[in-house]
Amino acid sequence: MKLVIAVVQDTDAANLISALGKVGLTSTKLASTGGFLREGNTTLLIGVDDERLEEVKKIIRETCRTRTRLITPGMPINETIEAARGQPVEVQVGGAVIFVVEVSEFLKF
Ligand code: 2BA
Ligand code: 2BA
């Protein structure tokens, strides 16, 4: 079994949860905040059998769109960003950032 940790934009989260649910995949939704933009995003935990991992990735790819955002960094978090303080910066946001982690045990009590 794998645990897919997917960071997605809030605007895509509902569609993604619904698309996963339609094919019988369960997820847990967590409210999260991106360290760079300091804006809300959504982190989904999706526990999935190995043979359905590619299906999950496909659903995420099809549901979460990449968007370009023009942002003005606020509080700098490192020297690179310090240099850009106050200057609008174009960043690509989403579609999704995914971590796939091996699950050693999946238990329900
Ligand atoms: P944020 O940290 O708010 O980052 C939003 C977008 O800003 C990123 O999109 C990226 O295009 C840009 N960005 C982030 N850090 C940057 C930096 N140091 N310099 C220049 N541009 C930077 P994504 O890469 O699609 O990431 C979307 C969200 O996924 C991130 O929101 C963060 O919450 C999460 N994420 C991305 N990579 C991660 C990682 N390695 N570990 C944990 N979370 C991650
Ligand atoms: P929910 O997703 O709100 O699911 C509540 C209960 O509804 C589940 O209880 C299960 O009995 C049923 N259920 C969920 N998805 C279903 C589906 N696709 N088809 C039929 N019935 C379904 P639990 O299995 O005890 O799960 C409790 C909570 O644990 C879930 O709340 C979810 O937040 C989390 N969870 C369970 N399995 C997960 C997984 N594989 N990945 C991520 N989170 C999981």
Side-chain angles (χ1 to χ4, degrees):
M1 186 180 211
K2 299 282 192 280
L3 177 65
V4 177
I5 303 169
V7 184
V8 306
Q9 291 182 77
D10 291 343
T11 42
D12 292 325
N15 285 343
L16 178 54
I17 292 167
S18 149
L20 293 167
K22 271 186 196 151
V23 294
L25 290 161
T26 307
S27 60
T28 296
K29 176 181 181 238
L30 308 175
S32 46
T33 303
F36 185 65
L37 293 183
R38 313 282 172 102
E39 287 184 1
N41 54 28
T42 297
T43 299
L44 290 188
L45 306 180
I46 308 156
V48 61
D49 290 330
D50 288 11
E51 58 270 24
R52 297 196 74 184
L53 177 61
E54 289 310 314
E55 183 185 355
V56 169
K57 289 197 232 171
K58 181 166 181 276
I59 291 170
I60 295 172
R61 206 180 301 121
E62 288 172 354
T63 314
C64 300
R65 293 195 301 114
T66 303
R67 296 175 181 87
T68 302
R69 293 269 317 276
L70 200 60
I71 60 132
T72 304
M75 289 289 290
I77 52 175
N78 64 32
E79 286 176 10
T80 316
I81 297 164
E82 173 74 52
R85 187 206 281 267
Q87 300 297 314
V89 181
E90 195 174 88
V91 292
Q92 288 259 319
V93 189
V97 171
I98 302 174
F99 303 87
V100 179
V101 181
E102 191 68 45
V103 174
S104 55
E105 280 191 291
F106 173 61
L107 307 170
K108 283 194 200 179
F109 295 115

